[in-house]
Amino acid sequence: MTAMTAAAPDDLIAPLLAPQDAAAGKAHGLKPEEYDLIVQRLNRAPNLVELGVFSVMWSEHCSYKSTRRHLGKFPTKGPRVIQGPGENAGVVDIGDGPNGPMACIFKMESHNHPSFIEPYQGAATGVGGILRDVFTMGARPVALVNALRFGDPSHPKTRSLVAGVVGGIGGYGNCVGVPTVAGETQFHKGYNGNILVNAMAVGLADQDRIFYSRGAEPGNAIFYVGSKTGRDGIHGATMASAEFSEGDEEKRPTVQVGDPFTEKLLIEACLELMATDAIQSIQDMGAAGLTSSSVEIADKGGVGVEMDLDKVPQRETGMTAYEIMLSESQERMLMVLKPGQEHVAKAIFEKWDLDAEVIGHTTDTGRLVLKQHGAVVCDIPVPPLSNDAPNYDRPWNPPKPAPALDISKYPEPEDYGEVLLKLMSSPDMASKRWIWEQYDRHVMGDTIDSSQSGGDAAIVRIHGTNKALAICSDCNPHYVAADPYEGGKQVVAEAYRNLSAVGATPIAITDNLNFGNPEKPDTMGVIVKAIEGMAEACRVLDFPVVSGNVSLYNETDGQGIPPTPVVGGIGLIEDVSKIATLMGAQAGDALVLVGETKGHLGASLYARVILGLDGPAGGAPPAVHLEIEKQRAAFIRDLIRSGRAHAVHDVSDGGILCAVTELALASGVGLELGFDDQYATGVTYPEILFSETQACYVVAMTNVNFQALASTGIPSRLLGTVIENPVLDFNWMEFWPANAAKEIPLSALRAAHEGWLPRYMKGEA
């Protein structure tokens, strides 16, 4: 007997059946014209349950109504793409494994609004939700990634938000037993009112055991499995599709509560059932819970769904159909079983001590029909909830790129060593060791390298083979804000570089597009141009988008976040013995710059930290030349696979000097550096040292033949030599100021680089 029977049926049902007007629609986040459209679709006013169903399915979070037409600009096909956008996650071919052809299944999603309101549970359930997207498709999760943005460190909420989010990610991922291997963390005042928590999961599956939400046929059982349904998370999708205002911490009841131990049981039970032939269609219950999962299955299968909500396992008494359908309780799945397989599924889930009930069946009506206590409380055609949902062509204003930065207006530093120490200890550049040491990076035993501690991308062995996946997460929101099109290109190019820098062939990306209010034409213009820039980079680099998420309305009291389209990249390493990390530099190696300094300090770390120039005043970002990116990345991969490159790091935040410093710190070796005027004619010394020119790498390598390198057409220059003495030696720098220190001990750099965040979290910085 379910908890539902404890309440009087008439008391529950009558309020649900009352017709709802436009004012009720507004309270559910629907605009008057959207409410009118619902009335047209139904040819009547919706009741409360129907209005709730429409409100979540037409929310920005579920319908992508502001971006759907622009997301179609992304290239989504390629020789390795098995499944692109439209399913729970993307699927790519990674060749043969121990049991035949294998697939990598991956996706990234946001949990921004919940994490601001309740950071621990918001971040934890973000991890749980993205794991379900992956194992729903038959994959065993093998890696987690997170991309985090917090407000200004001086903001009174920032420290507690960092602690809560990091605790939630570690608490869930560590307990469920999946390693967190890569990520990024940035701070900026633009996130004071809206932090970003983007979670990515990566899994592996045999290609003949991939499962989809499509494929349901009429007349089959609908099977609910996992945790019981409660009242947590109701209207979570709607909350994630609206701006914040001061005081929105009161929305805590819309944040779900996660249970990683139940999720672990659910993973094992689902994978065991998938080894049988019982499942016809499967969908996790994420945003909008039972509503979205049932509609997804119905829409993709071209079927109807009829469910008896009295049969839904419930953990609270007196739950109404409205609450049951809109609950976002965690660790739940919905399946359509093949005929006669109910007993097989039930036995497996009972073995794992999980609820498992047949709650309805598929039909040939094409309608979503819900019953409670014998009464029909919802009867909606499926198409208006999915493909026939609103699809807006929002007006947009072309963004105006920031002007070029005139560096000649600013005096050169008196001590470049002091500048380096300041950059390496700045919040964005400082080591995030305090964060990633709270994550289990090595559970499952296949993590070879994590991007947090030693490489431009994480490397995770494909168990039972000599192959590995390379995984990264990237976005420079400062570039996107300064020039959305070039910044969008750079987001993709950065991921492409980071995968190539460890020796991987880039395969595909997932994305998480975080922006403000799309109803503002200026914001919508940034969204459109960033997508177009990303799409252009994906086309030229043969780097398709196979999954993703859009998170809009990241605004508080009208103030939007910096545009933050995050990319999660996947690459394949065919031979795990042929890789490069930051930790491989050896005394005697030559330190070589592959690429050339062009003097780009616009939108750079140097401009922000040293010159105090943020926003448009910081100047235009560096241009991204995609064919050059492709050529140089292939060259770097060849260097690594030939064994000549011991350590590789792409040049990004902080330019060449910060890149070589990170390499030295990771490898524990010293560097004797010898930059001179020949490296960049006609530019200032800060532009030589701290330029963020794209398509550049620093490489520690042996057997350097610059004549042979020159014959490839790839520009390259000697930067210095790797030495045993743990210092950065600037004695050979021709322009180094006479009164500045000629050597900086690695210990001083490490203290600056690794000290800021621990001190900050203790309240000392």
Side-chain angles (χ1 to χ4, degrees):
M1 180 179 295
T2 65
M4 217 23 246
T5 58
D10 290 344
D11 293 341
L12 289 172
I13 299 301
L16 304 180
L17 299 180
Q20 303 294 301
D21 60 15
K26 182 179 180 181
H28 280 73
L30 294 163
K31 298 188 181 305
E33 58 271 23
E34 291 175 335
Y35 173 83
D36 292 342
L37 192 58
I38 292 170
V39 173
Q40 292 176 29
R41 294 287 193 269
L42 297 179
N43 203 26
R44 59 176 171 80
N47 66 33
L48 182 61
V49 178
E50 292 165 339
L51 186 64
V53 168
F54 270 107
S55 74
V56 293
M57 292 309 298
W58 284 13
S59 69
E60 195 72 55
H61 193 79
C62 292
S63 72
Y64 295 168
K65 58 191 175 185
S66 296
T67 55
R68 229 156 60 221
R69 63 186 59 233
H70 298 290
L71 296 176
K73 299 171 183 176
F74 284 133
T76 58
K77 299 183 184 303
R80 288 188 178 269
V81 177
I82 297 172
Q83 174 65 54
E87 275 289 343
N88 286 290
V91 185
V92 294
D93 176 7
I94 55 172
D96 286 339
N99 304 312
M102 291 189 72
C104 174
I105 300 178
F106 63 105
K107 189 181 183 183
M108 179 179 279
E109 281 205 344
S110 60
H111 233 221
N112 302 335
H113 286 58
S115 298
F116 182 76
I117 293 171
E118 213 309 306
Y120 186 96
Q121 291 296 346
T125 52
V127 173
I130 199 63
L131 283 171
R132 288 194 298 281
D133 280 333
V134 165
F135 73 77
T136 295
M137 299 195 69
R140 178 170 292 281
V142 297
L144 287 165
V145 177
N146 57 75
L148 312 177
R149 267 80 187 176
F150 297 103
D152 191 299
S154 65
H155 191 275
K157 290 184 180 178
T158 299
R159 187 179 291 105
S160 63
L161 289 170
V162 173
V165 166
V166 171
I169 292 170
Y172 204 100
N174 296 352
C175 292
V176 83
V178 178
T180 299
V181 300
E184 50 180 340
T185 303
Q186 293 179 321
F187 297 84
H188 190 270
K189 63 183 179 181
Y191 303 106
N192 282 351
N194 282 85
I195 65 172
L196 300 184
V197 176
N198 296 171
M200 175 180 172
V202 181
L204 296 172
D206 293 330
Q207 289 187 21
D208 61 354
R209 305 304 297 169
I210 297 172
F211 293 80
Y212 300 94
S213 57
R214 64 177 183 264
E217 298 176 357
N220 292 325
I222 297 174
F223 204 56
Y224 170 115
V225 301
S227 294
K228 289 180 170 62
T229 295
R231 291 188 171 94
D232 50 327
I234 292 175
H235 276 303
T238 306
M239 174 190 69
S241 306
E243 294 185 25
F244 273 155
S245 297
E246 282 297 324
D248 275 1
E249 290 82 353
E250 296 171 4
K251 292 183 178 178
R252 284 180 190 270
T254 60
V255 178
Q256 313 94 318
V257 177
D259 181 353
F261 300 105
T262 298
E263 181 102 336
K264 175 62 174 173
L265 299 178
L266 190 60
I267 292 173
E268 299 304 329
C270 285
L271 293 178
E272 183 173 335
L273 182 60
M274 288 167 172
T276 72
D277 194 33
I279 299 173
Q280 191 172 79
S281 172
I282 182 169
Q283 176 74 36
D284 86 297
M285 293 192 213
L290 188 51
T291 294
S292 63
S293 56
S294 57
V295 170
E296 290 274 354
I297 284 175
D299 173 56
K300 291 174 184 173
V303 298
V305 166
E306 185 173 313
M307 295 188 293
D308 182 352
L309 301 184
D310 294 339
K311 296 180 179 178
V312 173
Q314 297 157 53
R315 68 168 183 260
E316 299 186 48
T317 59
M319 289 190 72
T320 66
Y322 179 94
E323 294 170 323
I324 293 168
M325 290 303 293
L326 271 59
S327 167
E328 293 184 8
S329 294
Q330 296 292 286
E331 294 84 42
R332 303 180 300 160
M333 312 282 277
L334 199 66
M335 307 175 181
V336 176
L337 300 178
K338 293 181 178 179
Q341 296 299 306
E342 294 87 348
H343 68 287
V344 175
K346 198 162 182 66
I348 289 173
F349 281 91
E350 285 180 352
K351 166 189 167 183
W352 290 99
D353 197 25
L354 294 169
D355 281 286
E357 298 291 343
V358 174
I359 63 170
H361 60 277
T362 52
T363 68
D364 60 4
T365 65
R367 302 183 74 84
L368 174 67
V369 178
L370 307 174
K371 296 180 179 179
Q372 189 174 30
H373 290 298
V376 175
V377 295
C378 175
D379 188 349
I380 303 175
V382 169
L385 299 173
S386 51
N387 290 332
D388 198 25
N391 184 359
Y392 295 128
D393 188 4
R394 301 276 192 200
W396 58 278
N397 296 330
K400 296 178 182 178
L405 176 64
D406 184 358
I407 193 66
S408 66
K409 294 180 178 179
Y410 303 93
E412 293 189 25
E414 295 181 0
D415 189 336
Y416 293 102
E418 286 299 317
V419 170
L420 177 62
L421 286 164
K422 190 171 182 179
L423 290 177
M424 294 302 294
S425 61
S426 64
D428 278 359
M429 195 72 182
S431 168
K432 304 308 184 293
R433 178 183 291 273
W434 182 91
I435 293 174
W436 54 254
E437 281 192 338
Q438 298 186 50
Y439 305 149
D440 191 333
R441 309 183 305 286
H442 297 286
V443 64
M444 302 182 78
D446 284 313
T447 305
I448 294 172
D449 186 37
S450 67
S451 73
Q452 301 107 321
S453 58
D456 283 10
I459 302 173
V460 178
R461 186 190 299 273
I462 298 169
H463 198 76
T465 75
N466 198 39
K467 299 194 292 188
L469 295 175
I471 308 165
C472 67
S473 169
D474 293 289
C475 180
N476 188 325
H478 305 286
Y479 287 4
V480 184
D483 186 333
Y485 185 77
E486 285 296 323
K489 286 163 59 179
Q490 193 275 342
V491 169
V492 176
E494 173 78 0
Y496 192 85
R497 283 199 300 273
N498 283 334
L499 297 174
S500 298
V502 299
T505 301
I507 294 179
I509 68 169
T510 183
D511 61 46
N512 206 140
L513 309 180
N514 307 274
F515 295 97
N517 186 344
E519 297 172 47
K520 296 179 178 179
D522 286 347
T523 300
M524 193 66 211
V526 172
I527 295 170
V528 170
K529 298 310 290 184
I531 288 174
E532 290 179 354
M534 294 173 71
E536 175 67 9
C538 288
R539 277 191 294 273
V540 175
L541 299 175
D542 301 318
F543 205 23
V545 180
V546 297
S547 61
N549 172 245
V550 178
S551 174
L552 304 182
Y553 295 95
N554 290 289
E555 297 202 0
T556 296
D557 295 330
Q559 184 64 43
I561 61 164
T564 314
V566 179
V567 159
I570 294 290
L572 181 63
I573 297 169
E574 294 285 356
D575 183 349
V576 79
S577 68
K578 297 177 179 178
I579 60 173
T581 70
L582 295 188
M583 299 184 287
Q586 304 169 17
D589 283 349
L591 192 64
V592 176
L593 172 68
V594 173
E596 51 194 335
T597 299
K598 293 289 188 180
H600 288 298
L601 285 177
S604 68
L605 186 72
Y606 181 89
R608 296 194 304 278
V609 174
I610 304 303
L611 303 182
L613 303 175
D614 196 7
V624 180
H625 302 288
L626 295 167
E627 290 292 351
I628 293 176
E629 291 280 3
K630 194 172 184 180
Q631 178 194 36
R632 292 182 187 170
F635 177 73
I636 289 294
R637 293 194 297 269
D638 286 343
L639 280 181
I640 293 169
R641 291 165 187 172
S642 70
R644 286 180 290 166
H646 292 155
V648 179
H649 191 16
D650 84 309
V651 176
S652 55
D653 287 356
I656 295 172
L657 195 53
C658 286
V660 300
T661 301
E662 286 187 307
L663 187 147
L665 290 172
S667 295
V669 296
L671 301 176
E672 190 177 79
L673 300 171
F675 302 8
D676 59 35
D677 284 327
Q678 299 175 26
Y679 281 87
T681 304
V683 298
T684 62
Y685 297 129
E687 290 174 292
I688 298 173
L689 297 172
F690 306 113
S691 165
E692 296 179 10
T693 305
Q694 300 294 285
C696 286
Y697 303 79
V698 291
V699 184
M701 58 187 295
T702 57
N703 303 320
V704 183
N705 183 331
F706 282 101
Q707 186 174 358
L709 289 176
S711 69
T712 66
I714 306 287
S716 56
R717 294 182 181 276
L718 183 66
L719 295 179
T721 305
V722 180
I723 58 177
E724 290 185 1
N725 187 19
V727 299
L728 291 194
D729 183 340
F730 301 109
N731 282 289
W732 298 97
M733 303 282 268
E734 294 182 5
F735 56 81
W736 206 254
N739 60 343
K742 296 291 187 179
E743 292 184 354
I744 302 179
L746 222 57
S747 58
L749 285 161
R750 193 178 304 282
H753 186 52
E754 296 188 0
W756 178 80
L757 189 54
R759 291 198 306 274
Y760 173 71
M761 294 309 296
K762 291 178 182 177
E764 298 172 359

